[in-house]
Amino acid sequence: MCGIAGICRQTGISPADVEQVKQMNTLQKHRGPDAEGVFSDSCVVLGHRRLAIIDLSNDGKQPFASDDGRYQLIFNGEIYNYLELREDLSRHGWRFRTKTDTEVLLKAYQHYGEDCLQRFNGMFAFAIYDVLQKHLFLARDRMGIKPLYYTILDSALYFASEIKALCSIPALSKAVNYQAFFDYLVFNRTDIYDETFFCDIKRIPKGCHALFDQEGLHIQQWWHPETFLTEITGEPDREKIYRDIEELFISSVRLRMRSDVPVGSCLSGGLDSSVMIGALFQHFNPKPNYPTFTASFPGHPIDETAYIDSLNHQYTFQNIRTYPNADKAYKSLKDFLYANDEPTTNSSFFSQYEVMQLAKKNGVTVLLDGQGGDENFAGYQYFHGFHLYGLLRQKKGIRLTSELAKSILRKQHVSVYQTLLFQLLPDMLRKKALLKALPYIEEDFFREYIEHSKIYNDFFNVSGLNQSLVRHFQYKLEHLLRMEDRNSMAFSLEARVPYLDYRLVEYVLGLPESLKIQDGETKYLQKKALGKYTISEILDRTDKIGFGTPGDEWMLTDKWQRLTQKNYADLAETFPDIFKQNASLPNKGFDRWKINQLCVWKNIFQVTS
């Protein structure tokens, strides 16, 4: 896990470019405190900060050159199946001088070209420079786990792992992207396709590769989640499907346990992380004091430590806890936002930040995390609303009635019915309902930017549950992964997500909707296939709180109320065409969290309108 940065300028690299990349390296030191390196020639400067995970020797230092010197690689991430790929490449005559996944990645590119991406099981963002052809190849993993940002100024490509590195470029405009503001305020979504909160900074989209040469930047998508949706006729072989999912998940965990540094896990009292712990103990026999890390809220209804204590009776792990609260969030807001580069969607990510800090203090460098389980197995309760809508479209009245009745009996969250209703509303009423929920937003701003919103036009434009799952991989998951990346890397930690092994994702996407939600129960498929790895107290839970934080209550404390009022006035003055002057502050805690973050972020990065 590392930080990468670079400049490619076909008209020639200057000494100032070399110094710029060195500065970008320094700003990303937290991503790689173990080593740094810079390569430059007439057309490129490449910078790298290393966090040593596989092969801790100097053999893993980057930029990494091919044996013949033609290619230079900088790489952020892990290729988990590097040992298998190494064997494959050895059979084709390739010889290896190191034990790193870095060398495997580069030789795979030399052997297979861009098709190497289809063979990688991992999380990655990398750049490979061809010294002879003077062009630069860049790529990101399928899900967007590892980041890669860029800007083009005066025909030169600047790129880096984090936005803060690009913000150090003197010529870069800090003008805000109003569309990103809109989607954040209205839909609580960020990291949509290639957009950032800055007009002049974009990301190489997930599942894409790019080539930068004399003709500019050419981006091409190489992974298409929608292609894995299939129509299965007849009754599926459920027992075989459960076995397949279990096998894929265990294989995913096995690959992600490969490490030459200490490994631990994030742990809540929910299904995803508890199943992951159970799989570890039942298949890989970790040491009895295997470290797990938890955010706890003693005495609060969302506190899940009682479930963790019950799980601890089954598996003998060590559970280390941190206690996020309103005061900690208040004091750390500036550091937290600087680490994240952009605002976060809710206060649970501050709790995640605290968990990562706790893990660092306890000597762990790699953390397994349950991120992606909800997107893979339809865990959010509102997925049931998309499922009901699909049944309605398919005119499956008996099944629809049964699912609706059972969701009511299970006391599913109101978002189930809100989602169904939103799908049924005509366009005019949808927009009216959204605008009414945001009385502090200027109507002209709303009406202009909703027309261009990918969330409004694509995310909700689905035929049923499976298509909604695809949209989550396209438009929602990445903002969760971005925040996890920044929160972990702020403390020089590598976070790994077993539920997002591409083999598991592609397999589950291709299964019928009826296997994923049944009898009013989300995550039905996950419980059937993997439920044996957790305990009945967790398996039988009917509440779904995700990685919860009492952030709404934090926002109502006196100091946060005063800060919100001050920050809203600042935003309304800076962006009068977005925020209404002298408007009543929103009642919802997560809206107040967003307002405070936007203002503090604006001041940290000196954003302009």
Side-chain angles (χ1 to χ4, degrees):
M1 190 63 61
C2 306
I4 64 175
I7 302 173
C8 190
R9 190 191 304 275
Q10 297 291 338
T11 57
I13 290 297
S14 69
D17 291 326
V18 177
E19 291 305 311
Q20 179 64 56
V21 170
K22 288 180 179 179
Q23 183 180 3
M24 293 158 78
N25 254 3
T26 299
L27 288 168
Q28 297 184 138
K29 182 178 180 180
H30 52 282
R31 298 189 70 90
D34 297 328
E36 70 173 317
V38 174
F39 167 86
S40 64
D41 75 353
S42 61
C43 291
V44 77
V45 191
L46 303 176
H48 187 264
R49 296 288 326 196
R50 186 186 184 203
L51 177 62
I53 303 291
I54 300 293
D55 187 350
L56 307 185
S57 73
N58 286 332
D59 288 345
K61 189 175 180 181
Q62 300 179 40
F64 188 92
S66 61
D67 294 341
D68 59 5
R70 176 173 176 175
Y71 299 100
Q72 290 283 341
L73 164 68
I74 50 175
F75 164 43
N76 168 33
E78 300 288 349
I79 306 300
Y80 300 122
N81 63 334
Y82 75 102
L83 294 177
E84 292 78 6
L85 287 173
R86 180 181 172 127
E87 289 182 8
D88 171 62
L89 291 166
S90 295
R91 286 193 292 270
H92 286 91
W94 292 91
R95 296 294 175 261
F96 293 84
R97 66 181 190 269
T98 77
K99 297 179 180 179
T100 65
D101 60 336
T102 302
E103 185 179 14
V104 172
L105 188 160
L106 184 54
K107 283 185 164 66
Y109 176 77
Q110 291 178 268
H111 186 77
Y112 293 110
E114 66 186 42
D115 287 343
C116 68
L117 298 170
Q118 303 288 351
R119 298 170 183 267
F120 293 156
N121 188 336
M123 52 181 184
F124 51 85
F126 63 82
I128 297 175
Y129 176 64
D130 187 328
V131 175
L132 296 181
Q133 297 293 328
K134 303 298 182 186
H135 64 229
L136 190 70
F137 179 81
L138 307 104
R140 284 186 74 200
D141 63 68
R142 297 166 178 84
M143 315 296 167
I145 303 171
K146 291 294 104 186
L148 186 54
Y149 297 93
Y150 73 94
T151 188
I152 297 176
L153 299 171
D154 296 327
S155 300
L157 175 72
Y158 297 74
F159 65 93
S161 294
E162 294 190 5
I163 286 174
K164 63 177 65 68
L166 295 177
C167 283
S168 69
I169 301 169
L172 180 77
S173 166
K174 303 289 183 63
V176 71
N177 178 352
Y178 273 35
Q179 188 65 56
F181 257 53
F182 175 87
D183 289 319
Y184 179 60
L185 291 167
V186 177
F187 297 112
N188 203 31
R189 296 286 182 268
T190 65
D191 301 77
I192 299 163
Y193 190 61
D194 64 347
E195 291 183 350
T196 74
F197 278 79
F198 295 91
C199 283
D200 289 352
I201 298 177
K202 296 186 180 297
R203 66 173 57 78
I204 301 295
K206 56 187 168 295
C208 288
H209 59 69
L211 186 71
F212 186 75
D213 57 19
Q214 293 88 345
E215 297 179 0
L217 185 68
H218 317 275
I219 297 175
Q220 184 174 341
Q221 187 174 352
W222 66 271
W223 188 71
H224 305 266
E226 66 276 9
T227 62
F228 300 102
L229 297 181
T230 57
E231 292 292 335
I232 297 179
T233 59
E235 180 62 25
D237 185 342
R238 291 175 179 252
E239 293 304 319
K240 180 182 184 303
I241 288 170
Y242 301 154
R243 290 194 301 272
D244 289 346
I245 288 173
E246 181 182 4
E247 181 180 326
L248 287 168
F249 183 70
I250 297 305
S251 173
S252 174
V253 174
R254 178 182 291 111
L255 289 178
R256 282 155 185 79
M257 288 295 288
R258 289 176 172 173
S259 172
D260 294 328
V261 295
V263 179
S265 292
C266 299
L267 179 60
S268 71
L271 187 64
D272 297 331
S273 59
S274 65
V275 162
M276 190 172 64
I277 290 296
L280 276 173
F281 274 85
Q282 290 191 33
H283 288 274
F284 306 109
N285 194 31
K287 55 188 178 181
N289 62 341
Y290 179 80
T292 66
F293 303 93
T294 298
S296 176
F297 310 97
H300 197 280
I302 69 167
D303 184 70
E304 297 186 298
T305 52
Y307 295 103
I308 294 171
D309 291 340
S310 296
L311 188 70
N312 214 170
H313 293 310
Q314 179 86 6
Y315 305 114
T316 54
F317 53 83
Q318 180 186 17
N319 187 237
I320 308 165
R321 298 171 184 176
T322 185
Y323 304 93
N325 57 41
D327 287 341
K328 286 183 179 179
Y330 187 90
K331 292 175 183 176
S332 302
L333 184 59
K334 185 177 291 187
D335 290 341
F336 168 72
L337 278 170
Y338 180 75
N340 272 273
D341 280 340
E342 297 176 287
T344 67
T345 51
N346 62 66
S347 56
S348 68
F349 294 100
F350 174 73
S351 296
Q352 184 186 61
Y353 177 84
E354 292 273 289
V355 168
M356 300 300 180
Q357 186 175 41
L358 179 70
K360 179 66 174 180
K361 290 177 180 177
N362 283 274
V364 168
T365 305
V366 171
L367 276 175
L368 302 189
D369 188 74
Q371 193 71 263
D374 286 316
E375 287 75 15
N376 216 351
F377 291 105
Y380 303 118
Q381 291 195 14
Y382 63 73
F383 273 127
H384 204 172
F386 288 114
H387 184 47
L388 294 171
Y389 179 66
L391 294 173
L392 181 63
R393 281 176 55 93
Q394 297 167 47
K395 299 181 181 179
K396 295 183 177 180
I398 296 176
R399 179 78 190 279
L400 171 64
T401 302
S402 174
E403 284 294 325
L404 184 58
K406 288 174 181 177
S407 73
I408 294 171
L409 288 174
R410 288 181 65 86
K411 298 180 180 179
Q412 292 278 41
H413 192 266
V414 67
S415 61
V416 173
Y417 317 109
Q418 290 172 334
T419 301
L420 174 60
L421 178 61
F422 193 77
Q423 293 296 99
L424 296 172
L425 285 176
D427 180 73
M428 182 182 69
L429 291 181
R430 280 186 179 189
K431 292 174 180 175
K432 188 174 181 179
L434 288 170
L435 184 58
K436 186 177 180 180
L438 298 160
Y440 56 93
I441 297 295
E442 288 288 350
E443 291 186 22
D444 289 344
F445 167 73
F446 177 89
R447 298 189 190 285
E448 177 179 356
Y449 286 93
I450 196 166
E451 299 302 328
H452 307 287
S453 171
K454 288 184 173 67
I455 296 298
Y456 185 78
N457 293 313
D458 295 339
F459 183 80
F460 291 105
N461 185 22
V462 298
S463 59
L465 175 61
N466 270 346
Q467 197 172 31
S468 176
L469 291 171
V470 168
R471 293 287 188 268
H472 276 69
F473 284 109
Q474 293 172 323
Y475 296 120
K476 180 182 182 295
L477 178 63
E478 190 174 354
H479 85 269
L480 306 177
L481 296 171
R482 185 260 293 182
M483 296 168 208
E484 180 157 49
D485 173 83
R486 299 309 184 281
N487 284 336
S488 58
M489 294 308 295
F491 303 104
S492 305
L493 297 177
E494 175 173 294
R496 298 178 174 181
V497 282
Y499 285 100
L500 293 181
D501 186 301
Y502 79 95
R503 299 168 301 167
L504 181 62
V505 169
E506 292 174 0
Y507 183 83
V508 174
L509 277 176
L511 296 176
E513 296 180 1
S514 59
L515 291 176
K516 300 172 186 178
I517 293 179
Q518 187 169 315
D519 297 332
E521 187 174 2
T522 57
K523 288 196 172 180
Y524 182 86
L525 180 59
Q526 182 185 15
K527 292 173 184 178
K528 288 295 184 181
L530 304 173
K532 66 183 180 182
Y533 292 111
T534 188
I535 56 176
S536 59
E537 294 96 316
I538 294 174
L539 193 63
D540 297 336
R541 291 179 66 176
T542 58
D543 60 328
K544 166 62 182 172
I545 61 174
F547 182 59
T549 296
D552 286 6
E553 296 174 19
W554 295 357
M555 294 299 103
L556 296 178
T557 58
D558 288 343
K559 64 173 60 177
W560 274 106
Q561 294 232 51
R562 290 192 295 271
L563 182 65
T564 305
Q565 193 166 19
K566 173 180 173 293
N567 285 340
Y568 183 83
D570 187 344
L571 287 175
E573 181 178 354
T574 307
F575 305 108
D577 43 355
I578 297 179
F579 298 97
K580 290 181 179 178
Q581 297 286 343
N582 303 314
S584 298
L585 293 178
N587 293 321
K588 295 178 181 178
F590 69 83
D591 278 342
R592 293 183 176 218
W593 174 254
K594 287 189 286 188
I595 285 169
N596 285 308
Q597 284 194 107
L598 282 171
C599 187
V600 175
W601 166 79
K602 171 185 74 72
N603 294 333
I604 291 172
F605 290 96
Q606 300 179 331
V607 179
T608 65
S609 59

